[in-house]
Amino acid sequence: MTFDSFLKTTAVQRGVSDIELETLSLALNGDSTDQIAKKLDIEPEATRKRLSEVYKKFKILGKGPGKLAKLQSILMTEFQNQPPQEQLSVVSSAIAGNEAITNAAKPTSRRKKVLLLCSGIDGKTLAEHLSNTILKHPSLQTQVVSVDITSDASQTEIAEAASHSADVCVVCITHRGFKRPWLNFEIGFLTARIPHLKLLRLYQADLSGPLAHLASIDGTTRKGLSKLLHDILGGDLREAEDWVSFKASSSNWEKWLSDDLSRAALATAVEADVVVDAGMSLLMDNEYVRNNNCFRQLFLSRLGEMGQQIQSVGSTGSRFSLPADQYPHCLVDLQKNSLNPRVRAVALVDNLEHFWPDESGIEIWETANRLSQRLFVFSKLRDFDQSIGILLRHANKYDVFVMLKDQYLRLIEKFQIPPNLDFSIIETEQDGELLARYDYEMTSKGNQKLIRFCAASVEVNHYKKALKDVFKTAQASQVNLRGTNADSIIQKFDEIRNRLCESLTRSESA
């Protein structure tokens, strides 16, 4: 069934007269008010009056622009929703009851074919939304090419071949697509071979570099999209503006575009772009990610942060930082890995590492290498007493030492290591040594606690030497519980506590 037949039957059902249908058909075909008046040899005011009567019969009320766009949307929706059996009856009704319609009432031209070429990973999604919203017009037939023209140069020939059957070709350029190395070549190639090519920018900046001299349309604004539609259809610019305004207001186009611009803002560097692109390309098939702004923003923010972190390391960096509260999870992940690293660490129990009694501390113990060593540093005897359960658990798995904080600070002073910040040396049997140390960074919100990982051998070796001196000193009391019974364990803890008391007394008297 054709749209023409459907329109004739629908007009009869709505009580639209022949001369009104004649006027409506020309309007739907994209003719302006003045063009319709000239073709039908009537005044422009008569044209507007006929269309006004049509709007009333379709119950499109109110004043101002957008009524033709609303009618076009209603007709297209009803036409597409016609079941096959009703389509046959519609055709029969059109033939039997509407023979008086003149040839002038029929559309004067076929629907124009518009080919949308994609650019970048996100280009196909935006191109499809553009096709299903703004460019879903009765006078247009759109097609989205299912190749990414920025993936490699050979795809350009596919795009060129597909363009031969189209009236207009539109290249949808996104922020990330524009930064791909092949794009300059491909657009230049297509521009030279496709005279009806249009460049649509779906990001908030002008073309730059070798493409700066090319004309492009801003696809992020209704004004720009109206220009695109007018360039394709011709006719009255105001009618194109009405259509874009109506479709933008009644569809999710602007939401999708806003989300894409948010991703571009989060990922300002190529490295960050790659992370956001890759992550969102995997998630966009998820209906909850697509339709729930809050759920989607969670992923956008985390992917953006990850991209910026990767960018900060770059191709030559040896340091990588994360918020301090993520360290327990990172350490557990490393210990679970097949590398099974040995960890030698200083834990200032009353300072940053409050997680030892929690599930994170238990996971660190469960996944620890038996060759690991950890020095637990206490400021007060009360902290030691409250941590006996933790010490028992860890000492049953690997070497555990305890020391008072005053003793520890005197030992590391010569190494110029920050006195109140925990650190670890994470090492594997083959070519894998990593320093993890806490640090602070001044931000707009104040001091932010970080865990910094460093792979530079000079810094790693400096901290390794400090650890070696601390572990071998007589002031470090080892909690050695392996192969002992309950009485021996109690006796051992009493001995360690007495040593700590003596050290505390000497420190206070000094």
Side-chain angles (χ1 to χ4, degrees):
M1 172 189 173
T2 66
F3 181 77
D4 296 347
S5 299
F6 166 78
L7 180 60
K8 295 171 187 177
T9 302
T10 303
V12 171
Q13 294 170 346
R14 298 276 184 161
V16 175
S17 68
D18 292 347
I19 60 172
E20 290 169 350
L21 177 58
E22 183 180 37
T23 306
L24 174 61
S25 297
L26 293 172
L28 292 175
N29 192 53
D31 288 350
S32 67
T33 300
D34 290 340
Q35 288 172 327
I36 295 172
K38 186 176 181 180
K39 288 181 180 180
L40 299 182
D41 194 21
I42 59 177
E43 293 295 324
E45 183 60 32
T47 301
R48 284 189 282 270
K49 185 174 181 180
R50 289 182 186 181
L51 291 175
S52 178
E53 289 299 316
V54 172
Y55 299 146
K56 290 179 182 178
K57 292 172 181 178
F58 277 89
K59 297 183 179 180
I60 299 175
L61 306 178
K63 297 181 179 180
K67 288 190 282 189
L68 178 61
K70 292 179 182 178
L71 178 56
Q72 288 171 318
S73 179
I74 291 171
L75 290 171
M76 185 57 68
T77 300
E78 292 183 0
F79 173 65
Q80 292 175 340
N81 290 335
Q82 288 289 317
Q85 61 271 25
E86 291 188 18
Q87 291 179 6
L88 292 174
S89 65
V90 166
V91 174
S92 301
S93 175
I95 295 172
N98 211 22
E99 294 178 354
I101 296 177
T102 65
N103 290 332
K106 299 179 181 179
T108 58
S109 63
R110 64 177 176 81
R111 290 199 290 168
K112 290 189 175 181
K113 294 183 179 179
V114 179
L115 181 68
L116 299 177
L117 304 179
C118 305
S119 170
I121 295 175
D122 53 343
K124 185 172 185 290
T125 299
L126 283 178
E128 289 175 342
H129 277 279
L130 184 64
S131 172
N132 293 327
T133 55
I134 305 300
L135 297 183
K136 191 171 184 179
H137 190 284
S139 299
L140 297 180
Q141 178 183 346
T142 58
Q143 176 190 0
V144 177
V145 175
S146 59
V147 294
D148 182 354
I149 67 171
T150 63
S151 59
D152 63 69
S154 65
Q155 299 294 335
T156 309
E157 297 179 0
I158 299 175
E160 184 196 6
S163 71
H164 293 323
S165 62
D167 297 299
V168 179
C169 293
V170 179
V171 178
C172 299
I173 308 173
T174 62
H175 177 271
R176 284 165 294 285
F178 180 68
K179 298 171 75 173
R180 299 299 190 268
W182 278 111
L183 191 67
N184 290 343
F185 165 77
E186 289 169 347
I187 290 183
F189 180 92
L190 293 172
T191 302
R193 288 163 174 77
I194 306 175
H196 45 273
L197 185 73
K198 296 187 179 298
L199 306 182
L200 184 68
R201 291 179 286 104
L202 297 174
Y203 64 96
Q204 295 170 327
D206 293 328
L207 294 178
S208 58
L211 304 180
H213 67 286
L214 297 177
S216 62
I217 298 173
D218 184 359
T220 66
T221 66
R222 294 187 182 185
K223 181 178 179 180
L225 292 172
S226 298
K227 174 175 170 38
L228 174 67
L229 185 61
H230 179 256
D231 287 353
I232 296 172
L233 290 176
D236 192 340
L237 175 60
R238 188 173 61 180
E239 292 179 358
E241 292 172 343
D242 291 347
W243 176 263
V244 170
S245 177
F246 169 66
K247 297 299 287 186
S249 301
S250 60
S251 70
N252 62 355
W253 162 254
E254 289 181 332
K255 178 178 74 70
W256 274 95
L257 182 61
S258 175
D259 291 342
D260 187 75
L261 293 175
S262 297
R263 290 197 292 272
L266 283 169
T268 55
V270 174
E271 291 85 351
D273 279 350
V274 171
V275 174
V276 175
D277 277 353
M280 293 310 295
S281 66
L282 293 174
L283 290 169
M284 291 319 283
D285 286 338
N286 185 309
E287 63 176 303
Y288 301 104
V289 174
R290 288 199 311 270
N291 300 324
N292 188 311
N293 282 329
C294 292
F295 194 48
R296 181 167 59 254
Q297 189 61 40
L298 288 174
F299 295 103
L300 286 173
S301 299
R302 294 306 301 274
L303 288 169
E305 291 171 2
M306 186 180 299
Q308 291 170 0
Q309 291 162 358
I310 293 173
Q311 180 197 2
S312 69
V313 177
S315 59
T316 59
S318 61
R319 293 173 176 80
F320 177 61
S321 300
L322 291 171
D325 58 5
Q326 295 186 26
Y327 177 58
H329 307 291
C330 291
L331 181 57
V332 168
D333 285 342
L334 286 171
Q335 291 184 163
K336 282 181 176 179
N337 192 283
S338 59
L339 294 172
N340 192 24
R342 171 194 181 190
V343 178
R344 290 185 291 164
V346 173
L348 306 180
V349 176
D350 62 330
N351 191 37
L352 286 173
E353 296 191 334
H354 304 291
F355 52 77
W356 290 109
D358 303 333
E359 185 177 343
S360 297
I362 295 174
E363 272 199 286
I364 291 173
W365 161 70
E366 289 176 337
T367 57
N369 185 317
R370 291 190 175 276
L371 298 179
S372 294
Q373 295 177 307
R374 182 169 276 107
L375 171 67
F376 288 89
V377 179
F378 300 98
S379 296
K380 302 173 184 178
L381 283 174
R382 181 185 61 191
D383 296 331
F384 169 77
D385 293 338
Q386 293 175 347
S387 302
I388 287 178
I390 297 171
L391 297 174
L392 274 170
R393 181 185 299 122
H394 286 262
N396 220 17
K397 182 78 174 282
Y398 58 86
D399 291 342
V400 169
F401 299 82
V402 296
M403 184 183 293
L404 286 177
K405 190 172 183 179
D406 288 344
Q407 296 173 308
Y408 169 73
L409 294 180
R410 286 195 295 270
L411 287 172
I412 65 166
E413 186 176 8
K414 64 180 179 180
F415 293 99
Q416 297 182 331
I417 289 176
N420 295 311
L421 299 175
D422 311 39
F423 68 92
S424 305
I425 301 295
I426 304 168
E427 52 192 355
T428 60
E429 292 184 2
Q430 297 181 345
D431 302 328
E433 290 185 336
L434 192 63
L435 167 67
R437 65 180 181 86
Y438 289 104
D439 202 353
Y440 288 92
E441 181 175 81
M442 181 60 70
T443 67
S444 59
K445 299 180 180 179
N447 272 345
Q448 181 185 10
K449 297 176 183 178
L450 300 175
I451 183 70
R452 297 193 188 276
F453 297 93
C454 177
S457 58
V458 173
E459 192 168 351
V460 173
N461 289 334
H462 179 74
Y463 278 80
K464 280 178 67 176
K465 190 174 188 311
L467 267 181
K468 183 178 179 181
D469 281 12
V470 169
F471 280 127
K472 74 179 183 180
T473 181
Q475 295 171 338
S477 301
Q478 183 174 2
V479 185
N480 188 358
L481 305 178
R482 298 173 193 174
T484 57
N485 55 34
D487 291 338
S488 299
I489 291 174
I490 294 173
Q491 182 181 352
K492 181 66 176 178
F493 269 97
D494 285 340
E495 292 174 359
I496 293 174
R497 194 179 192 283
N498 290 334
R499 290 187 62 185
L500 293 177
C501 285
E502 292 173 2
S503 300
L504 185 61
T505 302
R506 287 195 299 270
S507 176
E508 290 174 349
S509 61

